[in-house]
Amino acid sequence: MENQLDKRQEKLISAFHTMWDAFPGMARLINQKHEILASNELAQKKGFVPGAICAQVASPQAHKGCLLAKTIQTGEAQYDQPNEHLLRGWMPVLDHEGVVVHFSINIL
């Protein structure tokens, strides 16, 4: 059973990279424990590496207003714009309960 879960997570991580590696902002695949399962290169350069707890990367202020829990609770995508130059989003991953894609992108 554990081997099936490993293969399922491997497929999910591969699909994440296929979809998000070219994204022009930071993208992270995060579970309900705030553990980063995968991240694109821009996010990794900022310290959001697989295995890290996202809320422990960067300053606590950067995580103010995190909508991960609300996304998991409602099963619906959430977004905010904490300032005029930043858009953040959290999207639940279909068929992977408790897993969310979290992205942030600078806007002009």
Side-chain angles (χ1 to χ4, degrees), residues 44-94:
Q44 287 183 26
K45 286 180 180 178
K46 298 282 187 175
F48 294 95
V49 296
I53 301 301
C54 62
Q56 295 175 350
V57 179
S59 71
Q61 185 67 19
H63 301 281
K64 187 175 181 179
C66 175
L67 296 173
L68 176 70
K70 184 174 182 181
T71 302
I72 292 170
Q73 179 184 14
T74 65
E76 297 176 356
Q78 307 292 322
Y79 73 93
D80 72 358
Q81 189 173 353
N83 63 54
E84 64 182 299
H85 299 290
L86 182 65
L87 179 66
R88 304 184 303 181
W90 295 260
M91 301 181 307
V93 177
L94 185 64

